[in-house]
Amino acid sequence: QVQLVESGGGLVLAGGSLRLSCAASGGTFSIYDMSWFRQAPGKEREFVASISWSGGTTNYGDTVKGRHTISRDNAKNTVYLQMNSLKPEDTAVYYCAAKSRWNSNWNYWGQGTQVTVSS
């Protein structure tokens, strides 16, 4: 069973940057694809970014492409989301998710970290 703990959220001014971290435990991190999702109040959960188990493949949602970067450090069992040029519409709870490289569903989730971008 994989446990995921996000950190790094907070309040930032528009145009600023934040780096989120997600620490994994309880599994073999290097076989897990990792991702970030977000959910704003009153909105559905939205895909932000994903990175493959090897780190060789990344994907981004259209709303963050070119501004955010996902990365991972398998030695530290951690995945990161570097968020730049933040906008008020980036305000949401950000969730880390994991799935093994052979699965199609994101079946492990963290508790979320709040990101608030003020204008």
Side-chain angles (χ1 to χ4, degrees):
Q1 194 78 0
V2 177
Q3 292 82 45
L4 303 173
V5 179
E6 302 97 333
S7 61
L11 174 64
V12 64
L13 291 174
S17 298
L18 277 177
R19 189 177 80 155
L20 304 183
S21 300
C22 173
S25 62
T28 305
F29 183 72
S30 60
I31 70 167
Y32 286 90
D33 298 329
M34 302 296 296
S35 65
W36 289 95
F37 289 77
R38 68 186 184 187
Q39 189 165 21
K43 295 188 177 181
E44 293 188 355
R45 187 171 59 196
E46 176 188 15
F47 169 76
V48 175
S50 65
I51 186 166
S52 64
W53 60 276
S54 66
T57 301
T58 57
N59 291 289
Y60 296 92
D62 288 341
T63 56
V64 306
K65 201 172 296 183
R67 297 188 298 123
H68 298 355
T69 302
I70 190 170
S71 61
R72 66 189 295 158
D73 185 337
N74 284 355
K76 295 182 178 180
N77 289 359
T78 301
V79 64
Y80 305 97
L81 183 67
Q82 177 66 44
M83 304 188 295
N84 298 326
S85 302
L86 283 163
K87 306 174 182 180
E89 49 264 45
D90 290 317
T91 295
V93 177
Y94 283 71
Y95 297 93
C96 175
K99 66 174 182 72
S100 79
R101 54 184 289 201
W102 301 284
N103 285 354
S104 57
N105 296 323
W106 299 101
N107 51 347
Y108 298 106
W109 293 84
Q111 82 290 348
T113 185
Q114 176 70 47
V115 171
T116 302
V117 184
S118 63
S119 57

